[in-house]
Amino acid sequence: SASMMHFFNNKIGKGPFVRVDMGPSRLVLDTNFAGNFNSEWGFGALVGGGVGIPITSGTRITINANYTVRRVEGENLKILGVTIGGLF
């Protein structure tokens, strides 16, 4: 997907930011008891925001709250998530 993060100060990875992702989406389910499922391709989008915390000169920890919508095979899958990640 295409992804964009915008930090609201002059240093990437420090302080509050917003994030937008858009692109192709596909659902894949792999289980031991119900078999496997692969959907057709669809479209997905993510909108969120968070804060970046500098750890070293080139490493950041990010804390995000994101809302994702994926439209695959005529169905909408909506997810609200909170994540902790790294920005290098």
Side-chain angles (χ1 to χ4, degrees):
S1 68
S3 180
M4 185 276 308
M5 295 174 79
H6 175 75
F7 287 87
F8 292 105
N9 59 37
N10 61 355
K11 187 159 183 159
I12 294 173
K14 181 178 180 184
F17 66 89
V18 292
R19 174 182 174 182
V20 177
D21 297 12
M22 290 189 291
S25 185
R26 185 175 175 195
L27 302 176
V28 177
L29 176 64
D30 184 10
T31 68
N32 291 331
F33 58 90
N36 301 331
F37 170 77
N38 293 311
S39 73
E40 298 294 325
W41 286 96
F43 183 78
L46 175 146
V47 176
V51 62
I53 304 164
I55 302 300
T56 67
S57 63
T59 304
R60 311 287 190 253
I61 299 289
T62 57
I63 301 170
N64 304 284
N66 302 310
Y67 183 70
T68 305
V69 177
R70 293 180 181 97
R71 182 153 180 85
V72 178
E73 295 186 4
E75 299 290 330
N76 288 329
L77 176 64
K78 301 172 185 176
I79 299 171
L80 177 62
V82 176
T83 61
I84 297 175
L87 182 62
F88 307 99

